[in-house]
Amino acid sequence: MHGQKIYSFEGHEAPVYSICPHHKETIQFIFSTSIDGKIKAWLYDNAGSRVDYDAPGKWCTTMLYSADGTRLFSCGTSKEGDSHLVEWNESEGSIKRTYSGFRKKASGVVQGVVQFDTAQNHILAAGEDNQIKFWDVDNTNMLTFIDADGGLPGLPRLRFNKEGNLLAVTTVDNGFKILANSDGLRSLRAFGNRPFEAFRSPYEASAMKVSGAPVVAGISPNIGRMDNLDRNSPAKPSPILNGADPASRSIDIKPRISEEKPDKAKPWELMEVLNPQQFRVATLPETPDQTSKVVRLLYTNSGVGLLALGSNAIQRLWKWNRNEQNPSGKATASVVPQHWQPNSGLVMANDIGETPPEESVPCIALSKNDSYVMSACGGKVSLFNMMTFKVMTTFMPPPPASTFLAFHPQDNNIIAIGMEDSTIHIYNVRVDEVKIRLKGHQKRITGLAFSNSLHILVSSGADAQLCVWATDSWEKKKSVAIQMPAGKTPSGDTRVQFNSDQNRLLVVHETQIAIYDASKMERIYQWIPQGTLSAAISHASYSCNSQLVFAAFTDGNVAIFDADNLRLRCRIASSA
């Protein structure tokens, strides 16, 4: 090192944003990116750039190789604020896979650039939305995300250590947190207990029923009080191919690097959560009507509140506050939400009519902007203002009683109302009239779901039938009978929900969970209760990013599935 310049790499037409030095066998080279979204590669000579790629988003991008040097990744943000995490095919200069899970930003809102890192050839991590998001390199769906008990900036910076068992992440108070798995905890203690006393565990992370070596195993609640994140986490699909992809990854220079052979697939087992120490729980504060049963539960669309409709026909609202512990103000199990009421002391009490509460079918729906909630418990449908809890109007007195409600996705004044007599009423709140009555079911309506992209309404009934209605004409396009398991009668409540892209439909019945291609109404995946999950299904729902399906069973078990293929990932036992 003599301080003299040896090479000068010239060719970028905009300021350089990042560099990534690397080598393959005897070949040394550097990747560089600039703020106009160009990626270039240089050998240590004066011959100029060897490649010229466009980065996704065409703005600020960082590049990293996996620890074994065989896989190339980049992560960056566009001027519009959209983030991109991808793996590259080096030999072709093309994108091999794009990882999903970043939030779509509001147009023109750019807070900065997402930063990322990789660990142990298997895990990618990126900071966004006051959270750390994780991916397995071989799966484009996000594994999970954690908020480190709050205190993270909007776009936290993060870095794994060389072994991949410690993760440093920046905080809003100009500090940083160290997160660790069990191996990381041992390495910290090896330096001496005293300096790390504040991070010591109140209990050891509970063992998971898994086989195979964990990668980012059990990021412990002990350091920064983090959630467990295991190679076999409930968000991890299985089986998993462990090791290098057989495709060539050599940069397009000589000599070409020989291909690596993939390791053998490992038989990853189902993760089972058997005791309460394996997850975090936030119990909502008590309300005056605590003894009433919760019959419907609904998050607000903004993710900051939770609505519960009780068997006493009263709705309660809890909200998470934005503070240092929870800077995003979004729903989290790390912070207990507060029971919220307007200063007037009003409560959202539904009309119950003459129907006994235990015989009524409760239903609830929330407008897209969270301004209004409508609900019914055997009596009239009530429309409440979410800020004041005032009843804006009531309509549709029984009989027949309303059994399911849905707002039109493009017009809060248009409401679909499923009825006890198997009809569906398309109702205009503003002019207080039923536009049309849809007839196609034989029993009461138990589910309604709009798809804005496909311009359809899908209804489900206690007759185990699905009907598809065109929202421009309200004509019935198709009727499909749910395929029942052998020996089961085609009856019982059926629920429907579209994924976030509104092209796949989740269909839930006590006998099954199924995914349908909504454009054709063809079933593409089905899961039937079996083994330790053999009880009837009581409810199921997509996660907010539509990458998981959570299902509850009548014996108290909860199961988590991969939404892509309904592969079972995790069982939370009733004992937990």
Side-chain angles (χ1 to χ4, degrees):
M1 297 293 289
H2 45 67
Q4 294 180 349
K5 182 173 73 173
I6 302 176
Y7 302 109
S8 179
F9 305 119
E10 298 180 358
H12 279 292
E13 298 177 358
V16 173
Y17 180 75
S18 70
I19 59 172
C20 175
H22 194 58
H23 69 90
K24 292 199 173 184
E25 292 188 348
T26 61
I27 308 299
Q28 304 273 345
F29 56 93
I30 300 174
F31 276 109
S32 63
T33 71
S34 54
I35 63 172
D36 58 357
K38 292 294 183 183
I39 300 173
K40 296 182 182 291
W42 320 79
L43 296 178
Y44 286 84
D45 57 26
N46 292 311
S49 173
R50 296 304 204 275
V51 299
D52 188 347
Y53 304 155
D54 283 327
K58 298 185 179 180
W59 197 41
C60 298
T61 295
T62 304
M63 308 192 76
L64 283 177
Y65 272 92
S66 57
D68 59 9
T70 62
R71 303 175 74 160
L72 178 63
F73 305 93
S74 74
C75 183
T77 303
S78 71
K79 290 182 179 180
E80 291 74 34
D82 295 322
S83 297
H84 306 269
L85 177 59
V86 303
E87 180 181 2
W88 289 86
N89 184 324
E90 297 172 69
S91 61
E92 298 178 4
S94 60
I95 293 173
K96 184 175 180 179
R97 53 170 60 91
T98 299
Y99 299 91
S100 62
F102 291 108
R103 184 170 61 86
K104 184 75 174 175
K105 301 299 187 299
S107 179
V109 179
V110 183
Q111 298 175 329
V113 180
V114 168
Q115 194 251 335
F116 82 121
D117 201 7
T118 179
Q120 294 191 2
N121 309 317
H122 287 299
I123 296 295
L124 293 166
E128 188 198 40
D129 289 341
N130 313 97
Q131 299 167 341
I132 307 167
K133 300 181 177 183
F134 296 91
W135 292 262
D136 182 278
V137 295
D138 294 321
N139 192 303
T140 57
N141 291 328
M142 184 172 65
L143 277 176
T144 190
F145 63 86
I146 53 180
D147 63 5
D149 256 3
L152 304 186
L155 294 168
R157 302 185 69 80
L158 49 85
R159 186 68 66 201
F160 283 105
N161 67 339
K162 184 177 180 181
E163 290 75 23
N165 54 27
L166 298 175
L167 177 63
V169 57
T170 57
T171 59
V172 290
D173 57 359
N174 300 319
F176 61 91
K177 296 183 180 184
I178 303 295
L179 317 181
N181 61 13
S182 55
D183 291 337
L185 283 171
R186 283 192 289 271
S187 67
L188 286 176
R189 289 169 183 146
F191 287 104
N193 289 335
R194 184 169 297 174
F196 302 100
E197 197 66 25
F199 298 111
R200 290 293 295 276
S201 168
Y203 57 85
E204 291 296 324
S206 303
M208 303 291 182
K209 290 184 65 178
V210 297
S211 65
V215 177
V216 184
I219 285 189
S220 174
N222 319 326
I223 291 200
R225 291 172 60 203
M226 293 304 304
D227 289 326
N228 286 346
L229 170 65
D230 196 278
R231 169 76 172 171
N232 309 287
S233 78
K236 187 74 197 78
S238 63
I240 302 160
L241 259 188
N242 176 25
D245 191 287
S248 169
R249 297 187 185 87
S250 59
I251 190 170
D252 201 11
I253 51 180
K254 305 299 183 182
R256 291 184 68 87
I257 309 302
S258 61
E259 296 177 351
E260 291 192 56
K261 294 181 179 179
D263 294 345
K264 293 181 179 179
K266 294 183 177 181
W268 302 96
E269 292 180 3
L270 169 70
M271 175 182 172
E272 293 196 308
V273 178
L274 304 176
N275 63 72
Q277 284 73 39
Q278 289 177 255
F279 54 78
R280 182 181 294 131
V281 175
T283 302
L284 277 59
E286 290 191 4
T287 63
D289 50 351
Q290 194 71 18
T291 54
S292 71
K293 178 182 176 182
V294 174
V295 290
R296 293 290 180 266
L297 204 55
L298 197 64
Y299 278 108
T300 59
N301 294 303
S302 61
V304 301
L306 185 67
L307 271 166
L309 175 57
S311 56
N312 60 356
I314 293 176
Q315 280 162 177
R316 296 290 179 178
L317 174 64
W318 290 264
K319 287 186 177 181
W320 279 264
N321 295 322
R322 187 187 298 270
N323 51 37
E324 289 184 4
Q325 289 75 35
N326 187 22
S328 71
K330 298 292 180 71
T332 172
S334 304
V335 178
V336 176
Q338 300 301 308
H339 178 231
W340 192 89
Q341 269 185 288
N343 294 331
S344 65
L346 282 176
V347 297
M348 291 187 280
N350 282 277
D351 171 60
I352 56 174
E354 299 177 359
T355 306
E358 61 274 11
E359 294 179 15
S360 66
V361 179
C363 46
I364 184 171
L366 191 61
S367 66
K368 194 173 181 181
N369 59 5
D370 290 337
S371 297
Y372 303 98
V373 60
M374 62 175 171
S375 52
C377 290
K380 298 176 186 176
V381 178
S382 299
L383 182 68
F384 297 93
N385 182 303
M386 284 282 283
M387 291 300 295
T388 65
F389 287 8
K390 289 183 178 178
V391 178
M392 306 303 292
T393 185
T394 59
F395 47 91
M396 305 298 291
S402 304
T403 56
F404 205 90
L405 304 169
F407 280 96
H408 192 286
Q410 292 180 304
D411 188 347
N412 284 340
N413 292 297
I414 304 299
I415 297 170
I417 307 172
M419 309 300 286
E420 179 73 36
D421 67 356
S422 79
T423 62
I424 301 165
H425 293 196
I426 306 301
Y427 177 78
N428 189 315
V429 177
R430 179 173 293 170
V431 297
D432 187 23
E433 72 174 17
V434 175
K435 293 177 61 177
I436 192 170
R437 290 176 175 81
L438 309 180
K439 297 180 180 180
H441 289 277
Q442 304 304 314
K443 295 182 180 180
R444 64 183 170 87
I445 304 301
T446 59
L448 296 167
F450 282 97
S451 171
N452 213 17
S453 60
L454 297 176
H455 307 292
I456 58 174
L457 168 67
V458 177
S459 60
S460 59
D463 54 1
Q465 293 277 330
L466 305 175
C467 291
V468 183
W469 313 86
T471 53
D472 54 355
S473 62
W474 300 113
E475 292 182 3
K476 187 167 75 170
K477 299 177 66 176
K478 197 169 188 178
S479 182
V480 178
I482 295 174
Q483 298 173 18
M484 306 298 290
K488 300 290 184 179
T489 57
S491 63
D493 287 6
T494 307
R495 296 295 175 91
V496 286
Q497 181 188 7
F498 278 102
N499 69 349
S500 54
D501 293 334
Q502 298 188 334
N503 53 22
R504 285 196 172 188
L505 184 74
L506 175 67
V507 177
V508 183
H509 186 267
E510 63 179 19
T511 65
Q512 63 186 280
I513 301 169
I515 302 289
Y516 282 70
D517 178 344
S519 63
K520 306 171 186 175
M521 283 309 292
E522 293 178 354
R523 193 188 71 187
I524 49 180
Y525 295 107
Q526 182 189 50
W527 185 89
I528 296 172
Q530 56 198 272
T532 55
L533 294 170
S534 57
I537 298 164
S538 57
H539 192 259
S541 174
Y542 276 118
S543 61
C544 62
N545 59 10
S546 299
Q547 294 175 4
L548 301 173
V549 171
F550 287 76
F553 296 77
T554 55
D555 63 356
N557 279 292
V558 175
I560 305 174
F561 301 84
D562 188 325
D564 280 346
N565 50 23
L566 291 184
R567 178 179 293 146
L568 180 61
R569 291 180 171 188
C570 176
R571 179 178 77 95
I572 303 173
S574 55
S575 58

